[in-house]
Amino acid sequence: MNTPTHALTTTFTDPDDLDNNPSLNHHLQDVMAAPMSRRQVLRSGVGALATASLGGVALTACGGGDDDVAATAPLLPPVLGFTAVAKSLTDAVTVPAGYTATVVYATGDSIDSAVNDYKNDGTDSNFARRSGDHHDGMHYFGLGTDGTPSQTSNTRALMAINHEAINGTVQFMHPNGQTNIGASAGPRPEAEALKEVEAHGASVIEISKTSGVFGVVKASTFNRRVTPRTPMVFGGPAKGSALLKTKYSTDGTATRGMIGNCASGYTPWGTYLTCEENFAGFFRRGSADDALRSAKERTAFKRIGLAQGAGGGQRWATVVPADSSSTEYARWDASKLGASTDGTDDFRNTHNTFGWVVEIDPYNPASTPVKHTALGRFAHEGAWPSNPVVGQPLAFYMGDDSRSEYVYKYVSNAVWSAADANPADRLATGAKYLDNGTLFAAKFNADGSGTWLKLDLSNTAISGNSAYAFADLADVLVNARLAADAAGATKCDRPEWTAVNPRNGEIYITMTENPDRGNVGSTSSNNVPNPDVDPAFPRYWLDNKGVSSQSASTSTLKGNVNGQVMRMRETGNLASATTFNWDIYLFANQATADIGLDNVNYQANVNLSGLTSVNDLSKPDGCWFSKASGILWIETDDNAYTDVTNCMLLAAVPGSYGDGGKITVTNQANGKPGTAGTAPVVVDTYAGKKMNDTIFRRFLTAPLGSEVTGVAESPDGKALFINIQHPGENTAAANIGDPTKYESHWPGNGAGVAAYGPGSSSARPRSATVMITKNDGGVIGL
């Protein structure tokens, strides 16, 4: 999440967001094959959708000929029923006419009757019993009147909510901002660091509906904060591995806490999956640590972006705790400091204990969260399940949110049993499906097909890899990026959220952006050669904020500036398939991307989805399907279009794979380093059908400095929940004492919502979960 080029108020940079991939894996620069025939498409699994996903919907025959297959009477697509909101640069939440937005849960809110309400002046403590910061992925878990799980409860629920980070807003957590944050400053104060650590992780809170509005049940025994201090255990093949041994857990079976929790997922048995994304930037490494590490360790460090001399974003490792026996802060130092041969006397392996998918049982606040190593370690963006089919394995789809990283899926060995939908022991069921299976990485072929590449030692490309010799399966999973490199997966443009269409099983993946794409004459921040355009990422263009005429000398943004959304269909619509087909559902860009380099009109090669002022967008980040309405919700985390609009939430009618076709993209070569005056770069690709104002509209705009992230809904679709993350994040730390210089005062300013919390128009900004309802009581978006 968190676009790395935001103007942050500290020197912290997420290494995961940068290109740390030195592999020479292809970028689909093969010659495009001819489009598949109708027979090939049908045989690849389109006709199998009915029995796999749509249950008892009647089948009808198509007509004569040997190409004929049984077809399904499709569910009617949603019809968007709201008036699109305009782009906005105001410090407010804006929703369509006839809708109301209400803040439910904001940074610092107490979840305990014994903890005082948030004063929002920097003096509040005990974030172990308060809402964390930077609300992100979340899920609604229905709660019956008897306190047991309910699939149908629209009035009572447990809401699991990620708290990703504190970057850009941490100054508001302290009365006068952070102390000793500079690289050469003294130790960080323990009280400040404790507050910051506990502001990460996740919340599980009970919410209930009164007079049509959900609110937090402050005294609920279900309320829980899971933080970087919460004890956790490992599950899966890497449990007990030497790579996970630390002074905290000398046998490598446990760890303490989770960090960087961004997107999320859920399981069909009723648990929450929260995913650790940008973890590398939290750790320190000594300036001479490389000399103490093996060649394999140095390779692994480089691949996750944890460089020798890294200071750790918030410098927690510098804290001198009052309890001299405490390792609470020493664990943020990944340097080799002890004399042991296995790392059991220091925290040289501490970084390996982060970057996982974590399972939490929201219904049991006493349960211990589990990090499932079978799903691999990388900068996780979500873990979304396939539609469960009795007798078939489950798949979980995941993105790795960094430039030139990969799309993954995990397939369980166990096949789905309907009896597991409501088990007595949810985490034991999680072990059944999530600890034994196979991890794959995606290869997007130039002809619109794709292959899932197995990431284990049965793949000779991995077992015979010379760049990094994998010792065992645990090594493969801990270093999943290196395994995907070896297997030959396709480098992508920051693959983030995954979503599975509940109506047909197709998978959608947001590819947020990549300024390195097409800049082949230069290198990225890690001196990794930049990828050229290719069939799966076919666009390169220039963009300069506030300037309609672009030129190589004035453009500040280059490459895949605004991102895209990809769509995949598994062969046979089987979660266990090893092949798939892909197209690009949505090309993101400003609607006026028709004045190009040196005033050359190239709208046909940038605005490929035909966007207008009603639906143009930049940097799709989150995507999520409503089961109630069938709408695909798309959220943005943007720093490229912010001269025109704040971030937004849009509603889309999803369509289906293959509803468009093969297209040719002509990229202007002028302006690329080393290519001035050369011929345009021509790429063939596969696109979904073009958008229009009927099937794609802007639903919400966000306050200043924020992104829109996290989506959930009540089962009836009449309450939609979204998260507003880091409003005011571009406020300079030096201006903490002058509220007139805050970028945002939301939600205290009451802009677009009822004023929430203390401070009014001078309030310190806060991340928050927002409930959206339709004034006539109807389903959201219809």
Side-chain angles (χ1 to χ4, degrees):
M1 202 67 63
N2 280 329
T3 303
T5 47
H6 284 311
L8 301 182
T9 57
T10 74
T11 57
F12 182 84
T13 300
D14 286 327
D16 293 289
D17 283 328
L18 302 177
D19 190 339
N20 298 300
N21 188 348
S23 75
L24 299 178
N25 290 0
H26 75 104
H27 294 286
L28 306 187
Q29 294 166 311
D30 308 324
V31 176
M32 288 286 284
M36 291 180 290
S37 69
R38 176 172 176 266
R39 177 182 298 161
Q40 288 173 310
V41 172
L42 291 171
R43 288 180 177 173
S44 72
V46 177
L49 289 174
T51 56
S53 291
L54 299 179
V57 179
L59 301 179
T60 59
C62 289
D66 66 357
D67 277 350
D68 299 334
V69 296
T72 301
L75 294 172
L76 292 176
V79 177
L80 304 182
F82 61 91
T83 301
V85 301
K87 294 186 281 283
S88 173
L89 289 171
T90 61
D91 189 26
V93 164
T94 305
V95 294
Y99 286 82
T100 298
T102 305
V103 173
V104 175
Y105 184 60
T107 297
D109 277 355
S110 169
I111 63 170
D112 190 324
S113 296
V115 176
N116 64 282
D117 290 338
Y118 198 53
K119 295 189 287 294
N120 197 22
D121 60 3
T123 64
D124 303 279
S125 59
N126 195 7
F127 272 75
R129 299 299 289 169
R130 296 186 184 277
S131 168
D133 204 355
H134 286 215
H135 300 41
D136 208 294
M138 61 180 168
H139 197 74
Y140 179 107
F141 293 91
L143 194 62
T145 56
D146 59 354
T148 61
S150 169
Q151 298 273 340
T152 59
S153 175
N154 296 301
T155 58
R156 188 184 182 199
L158 301 178
M159 189 71 80
I161 303 169
N162 287 350
H163 300 293
E164 180 187 7
I166 56 176
N167 310 333
T169 57
V170 64
Q171 64 269 28
F172 299 115
M173 295 178 61
H174 307 298
N176 301 299
Q178 291 177 291
T179 304
N180 292 348
I181 194 60
S184 59
R188 291 293 315 284
E190 184 173 13
E192 286 187 11
L194 178 61
K195 187 187 300 190
E196 294 166 11
V197 170
E198 290 182 339
H200 292 77
S203 293
V204 178
I205 53 170
E206 181 180 344
I207 58 173
S208 65
K209 186 184 258 187
T210 302
S211 300
V213 177
F214 277 98
V216 176
V217 181
K218 192 173 179 180
S220 173
T221 57
F222 288 106
N223 290 348
R224 181 183 189 185
R225 282 296 320 285
V226 181
T227 77
R229 306 181 72 208
T230 303
M232 300 184 178
V233 296
F234 287 108
K239 179 179 181 179
S241 166
L243 294 170
L244 301 180
K245 291 182 178 181
T246 64
K247 190 174 183 178
Y248 176 79
S249 176
T250 57
D251 63 358
T253 62
T255 187
R256 184 167 35 186
M258 59 188 191
I259 200 80
N261 297 78
C262 195
S264 58
Y266 74 102
T267 69
W269 52 92
T271 58
Y272 184 58
L273 299 180
T274 177
C275 304
E276 297 179 294
E277 186 204 359
N278 288 334
F279 62 91
F282 290 95
F283 297 99
R284 177 189 181 277
R285 276 191 72 207
S287 59
D289 194 52
D290 274 354
L292 304 175
R293 313 305 282 259
S294 68
K296 283 187 64 174
E297 286 178 298
R298 292 194 296 270
T299 298
F301 272 125
K302 185 174 182 180
R303 194 59 184 86
I304 66 165
L306 181 46
Q308 174 179 268
Q314 309 301 340
R315 303 184 71 243
W316 294 331
T318 68
V319 172
V320 179
D323 178 0
S324 60
S325 66
S326 172
T327 59
E328 174 67 42
Y329 303 100
R331 67 191 176 109
W332 300 106
D333 191 336
S335 306
K336 183 177 180 180
L337 301 174
S340 70
T341 59
D342 60 1
T344 55
D345 60 348
D346 60 15
F347 290 93
R348 72 188 71 166
N349 295 322
T350 187
H351 56 292
N352 289 335
T353 68
F354 294 89
W356 303 100
V357 173
V358 185
E359 185 181 19
I360 298 171
D361 183 352
Y363 297 103
N364 183 0
S367 60
T368 301
V370 181
K371 294 194 175 187
H372 289 288
T373 62
L375 279 70
R377 172 177 164 268
F378 44 88
H380 275 280
E381 279 280 1
W384 204 259
S386 59
N387 294 336
V389 178
V390 172
Q392 295 291 329
L394 295 174
F396 290 82
Y397 298 93
M398 303 168 284
D400 184 352
D401 181 13
S402 299
R403 300 173 195 170
S404 294
E405 292 302 341
Y406 307 123
V407 173
Y408 297 83
K409 83 166 175 178
Y410 164 85
V411 178
S412 66
N413 288 344
V415 298
W416 177 243
S417 169
D420 286 333
N422 190 25
D425 188 334
R426 282 172 286 275
L427 292 181
T429 304
K432 172 183 176 181
Y433 291 101
L434 297 178
D435 285 345
N436 297 284
T438 304
L439 186 65
F440 297 85
K443 180 179 181 181
F444 295 91
N445 299 320
D447 63 355
S449 67
T451 305
W452 289 111
L453 306 170
K454 185 182 290 189
L455 302 185
D456 64 22
L457 293 175
S458 70
N459 184 337
T460 56
I462 294 174
S463 58
N465 183 50
S466 59
Y468 182 94
F470 294 97
D472 51 25
L473 180 57
D475 199 358
V476 170
L477 296 170
V478 170
N479 295 291
R481 283 180 171 176
L482 287 167
D485 292 347
T490 298
K491 295 181 177 182
C492 299
D493 290 354
R494 292 188 62 191
E496 297 216 27
W497 286 47
T498 56
V500 175
N501 189 335
R503 298 188 175 187
N504 65 11
E506 293 177 352
I507 305 101
Y508 288 67
I509 306 161
T510 53
M511 303 285 185
T512 297
E513 51 85 37
N514 189 353
D516 298 334
R517 177 68 64 179
N519 289 299
V520 294
S522 63
T523 55
S524 70
S525 301
N526 258 31
N527 295 317
V528 175
N530 291 335
D532 204 350
V533 292
D534 63 37
F537 301 94
R539 296 182 302 165
Y540 165 98
W541 71 106
L542 307 176
D543 183 88
N544 196 350
K545 292 184 178 182
V547 179
S548 60
S549 176
Q550 309 298 324
S551 70
S553 61
T554 63
S555 291
T556 57
L557 300 172
K558 299 183 176 76
N560 184 1
V561 176
N562 305 121
Q564 62 194 50
V565 179
M566 296 194 75
R567 179 169 54 190
M568 303 165 67
R569 172 173 281 175
E570 298 276 31
T571 299
N573 203 43
L574 296 173
S576 58
T578 56
T579 56
F580 59 89
N581 293 112
W582 64 268
D583 62 11
I584 300 174
Y585 168 72
L586 171 68
F587 294 92
N589 48 257
Q590 58 182 314
T592 55
D594 57 346
I595 305 297
L597 179 67
D598 300 327
N599 293 317
V600 175
N601 186 311
Y602 66 131
Q603 179 168 4
N605 299 294
V606 178
N607 192 5
L608 299 175
S609 293
L611 303 183
T612 70
S613 62
V614 166
N615 52 31
D616 59 347
L617 73 158
S618 176
K619 300 192 178 179
D621 185 303
C623 62
W624 183 89
F625 277 97
S626 165
K627 291 183 179 180
S629 68
I631 290 174
L632 170 63
W633 294 99
I634 297 174
E635 302 165 315
T636 70
D637 174 16
D638 183 35
N639 68 330
Y641 204 18
T642 49
D643 55 323
V644 176
T645 184
N646 299 340
C647 289
M648 60 189 76
L649 172 72
L650 302 100
V653 177
S656 60
Y657 164 78
D659 56 15
K662 185 177 180 180
I663 63 173
T664 299
V665 184
T666 302
N667 293 281
Q668 299 296 321
N670 288 343
K672 286 189 182 183
T675 62
T678 62
V681 178
V682 179
V683 183
D684 288 340
T685 190
Y686 295 94
K689 71 177 180 180
K690 287 199 172 187
M691 296 295 175
N692 59 54
D693 299 354
T694 301
I695 62 172
F696 190 38
R697 298 178 191 168
R698 187 177 302 103
F699 182 83
L700 175 149
T701 58
L704 291 167
S706 68
E707 64 176 283
V708 185
T709 182
V711 195
E713 70 179 356
S714 56
D716 59 10
K718 295 181 179 181
L720 183 75
F721 300 87
I722 58 107
N723 283 322
I724 300 296
Q725 186 183 110
H726 58 67
E729 72 159 350
N730 298 301
T731 303
N735 293 329
I736 188 65
D738 186 355
T740 66
K741 295 181 179 179
Y742 295 175
E743 181 186 24
S744 173
H745 297 284
W746 190 90
N749 62 3
V753 295
Y756 191 87
S760 188
S761 60
S762 297
R764 297 183 178 206
R766 301 163 69 185
S767 296
T769 300
V770 176
M771 177 189 69
I772 301 168
T773 52
K774 199 172 182 180
N775 296 347
D776 65 6
V779 175
I780 307 300
L782 302 184

